[in-house]
Amino acid sequence: AIERTFSIIKPDATERNLTGAVNAVIEKAGLRVVAQKRIQMTRGQAETFYAVHKARPFFGELVDFMTSGPVVVQVLEGEGAILKYRDVMGATDPSKAAEGTIRKLYAKSIGENSVHGSDAPETAVIEIAQFFAGNEIVG
Ligand code: CMP
């Protein structure tokens, strides 16, 4: 089925001017960027977005990192977009990511790992709604 997933190009990637390079991998995989904007996340936005990780030891570090510079939030659309984008991103830990994946190509570490993608249909809906109004998504 045609799905939508939520993506973030993280501060380590925007800082190195990798927005276009990441989008090239996304588009080459057959995913379409149907919404996109560059924002500076507030601490509140990052805390809400990563609320599920609140109890983790790296939570503070994660919020610090995600608010350390601009991010590009996106909605990606395509056949099986949620799983497909997770494949395209590669493993969370770049040292374990497969060849050709975004994280293998560009991620610096497990924390500064260049991209985020939704892990399931329910989270995709919630994550998209946190950052985009319906009329900002043009399929
Ligand atoms: P993401 O897909 O955005 O969702 C949760 C994030 O937490 C994950 O990517 C990583 O960037 C981050 N993360 C996961 N494990 C660690 C860790 N051990 N140390 C720091 N950050 C982590």
Side-chain angles (χ1 to χ4, degrees), residues 10 50 53 58 61-62 92 103 110-113 115-117:
K10 296 187 180 185
Y50 283 120
H53 297 304
F58 58 80
E61 192 184 312
L62 180 57
T92 304
R103 285 168 171 161
I110 218 172
E112 302 195 13
N113 64 355
V115 282
H116 166 86

Side-chain angles (χ1 to χ4, degrees), residues 100-134:
T101 62
I102 293 168
R103 285 168 171 161
K104 177 71 174 191
L105 287 165
Y106 302 122
K108 297 168 79 170
S109 66
I110 218 172
E112 302 195 13
N113 64 355
S114 302
V115 282
H116 166 86
S118 306
D119 62 3
E122 308 77 61
T123 45
V125 168
I126 292 166
E127 291 176 359
I128 289 168
Q130 188 184 340
F131 291 98
F132 290 100

Side-chain angles (χ1 to χ4, degrees), residues 63-111:
V63 171
D64 287 346
F65 170 58
M66 292 300 289
T67 57
S68 68
V71 300
V72 176
V73 291
Q74 306 176 302
V75 181
L76 310 180
E77 185 177 271
E79 186 63 38
I82 294 162
L83 274 180
K84 180 176 280 184
Y85 189 45
R86 292 190 72 86
D87 280 350
V88 169
M89 288 193 298
T92 304
D93 179 348
S95 72
K96 294 178 183 145
E99 288 303 324
T101 62
I102 293 168
R103 285 168 171 161
K104 177 71 174 191
L105 287 165
Y106 302 122
K108 297 168 79 170
S109 66
I110 218 172

